[in-house]
C-alpha cells in the first residue's frame, strides 16, 4: 500500500479491459501526473483490441496522454465481453505485468463497475499487486453504475479540455457511440469537480489506503 507523503510517484501502472478505458477513466490524471513528473514510467496493459485499428488508436492516444513519460504499453487480443471465459489468460497478463514493475500507483477500473470485463480486471489486480494503492476509475455508460467516489484528482480547465480533445482525436472508431461526446466527458468532470470544490476533476474508488502522516 502506498503511504501518503512517503515519496514521489516514479512508477505508475494503468490497466484497461478495452482500448480507450484508461483514457476515458483517467486521462486527465495521466496528463497531470506526466506533465508534473517528466520521465515517469508508465506501464500500461489493455486486455483486448490487439493487432488492429483499436491497438493503433490506443498507442497513439496513450502517447498523447502520457507526454514525456517512459511509456510501455501492452495490448492483448482477448475477445471483448468475454473476460470471465478467459480468466487464466487475463490473470497471467496481470502477473507478468507485476513481474516487470513495482508501481507507486495503479489506475484501474472500479471493482463495482457493471461491465463484466471492467469488473473482472479490477478484481484480478489484488491477486498480483497486494501492497499497492489502486485508484478505481469510472466510465459513464447506460448501466447507470456511477457510485460515490472516495478520491478526487482536480483538473485544470486546460487539462479537462485537452482530455476531451484527445479522446475525440485519437479514437475515431468510437465517435458514432451516443455517449461518446464532449458533453458527457466534461459533464461528469464538472460534477466531480463540484464534489471536491474544483472546476473539474476525475474521481476514483479506493479500497484500501495506508496513511503515513508522521514521517
Amino acid at each position: 500500500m502506498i503511504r501518503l507523503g512517503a515519496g514521489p510517484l516514479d512508477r505508475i501502472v494503468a490497466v484497461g479491459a478495452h482500448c480507450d478505458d484508461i483514457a476515458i477513466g483517467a486521462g486527465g490524471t495521466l496528463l497531470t501526473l506526466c506533465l508534473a513528473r517528466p520521465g515517469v514510467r508508465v506501464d500500461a496493459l489493455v486486455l483486448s483490441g490487439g493487432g488492429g485499428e483499436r491497438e493503433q488508436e490506443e498507442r497513439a492516444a496513450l502517447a498523447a496522454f502520457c507526454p514525456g513519460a517512459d511509456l510501455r504499453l501492452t495490448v492483448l487480443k482477448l475477445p471483448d465481453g468475454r473476460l470471465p471465459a478467459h480468466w487464466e489468460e487475463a490473470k497471467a497478463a496481470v502477473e507478468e505485468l507485476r513481474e516487470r514493475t513495482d508501481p507507486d500507483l495503479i489506475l484501474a477500473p472500479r471493482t463495482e463497475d457493471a461491465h463484466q470485463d471492467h469488473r473482472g480486471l479490477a478484481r484480478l489486480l489484488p491477486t498480483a499487486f497486494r501492497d499497492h494503492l489502486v485508484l478505481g476509475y469510472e466510465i459513464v455508460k447506460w448501466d447507470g453504475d456511477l457510485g460515490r467516489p472516495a478520491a478526487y484528482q482536480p483538473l485544470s480547465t486546460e487539462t479537462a479540455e485537452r482530455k476531451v480533445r484527445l479522446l475525440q482525436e485519437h479514437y475515431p472508431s468510437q465517435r458514432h457511440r451516443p455517449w461518446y461526446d464532449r458533453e458527457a466527458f466534461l459533464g461528469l468532470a464538472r460534477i466531480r469537480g463540484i464534489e471536491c470544490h474544483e472546476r473539474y476533476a476525475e474521481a476514483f474508488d479506493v479500497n484500501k489506503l495506508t496513511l503515513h502522516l508522521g514521517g
Side-chain angles (χ1 to χ4, degrees):
M1 201 75 58
I2 190 171
R3 287 165 174 79
L4 189 63
L9 295 176
D10 296 320
R11 293 187 174 213
I12 302 167
V13 157
V15 298
H18 316 99
C19 297
D20 77 18
D21 285 355
I22 295 170
I24 291 173
T29 297
L30 281 174
L31 280 169
T32 301
L33 281 169
C34 292
L35 289 171
R37 297 171 175 81
V40 64
R41 176 169 164 175
V42 179
D43 287 270
L45 170 66
V46 180
L47 297 183
S48 65
E53 174 191 20
R54 295 285 277 143
E55 179 175 353
Q56 295 174 9
E57 289 180 344
E58 187 75 342
R59 291 193 177 280
L62 288 190
F65 275 103
C66 301
D70 177 11
L71 175 62
R72 308 178 188 196
L73 170 61
T74 300
V75 183
L76 303 182
K77 299 180 180 180
L78 274 62
D80 187 354
R82 299 290 185 270
L83 189 148
H86 295 266
W87 189 259
E88 290 302 321
E89 295 169 74
K91 182 175 175 59
V94 170
E95 290 175 346
E96 181 181 341
L97 176 63
R98 176 66 182 95
E99 289 175 1
R100 66 175 183 263
T101 186
D102 185 22
D104 303 304
L105 172 65
I106 300 173
L107 301 170
R110 301 167 52 238
T111 56
E112 301 304 317
D113 194 296
H115 194 300
Q116 63 182 359
D117 290 355
H118 300 173
R119 185 173 64 252
L121 176 56
R123 294 178 178 176
L124 263 177
L125 279 174
T127 68
F129 294 91
R130 297 181 178 273
D131 194 34
H132 299 79
L133 174 62
V134 180
L135 297 182
Y137 57 72
E138 54 186 356
I139 297 178
V140 65
K141 54 179 119 27
W142 74 271
D143 305 83
D145 63 348
L146 296 179
R148 299 182 63 181
Y152 296 84
Q153 170 58 51
L155 305 178
S156 67
T157 298
E158 178 184 0
T159 299
E161 294 279 1
R162 183 173 178 179
K163 172 185 175 177
V164 173
R165 185 172 65 252
L166 291 176
L167 286 171
Q168 293 290 344
E169 176 182 345
H170 287 289
Y171 296 104
S173 67
Q174 304 304 297
R175 291 176 190 156
H176 69 285
R177 299 186 181 276
W179 53 268
Y180 197 91
D181 60 32
R182 172 185 172 85
E183 288 180 301
F185 299 133
L186 274 186
L188 180 57
R190 180 69 186 108
I191 290 170
R192 296 317 190 195
I194 291 170
E195 293 173 351
C196 66
H197 293 178
E198 299 285 347
R199 182 65 184 173
Y200 296 108
E202 286 177 339
F204 303 90
D205 284 358
V206 180
N207 290 333
K208 289 185 178 181
L209 172 64
T210 300
L211 302 179
H212 186 64
L213 301 179

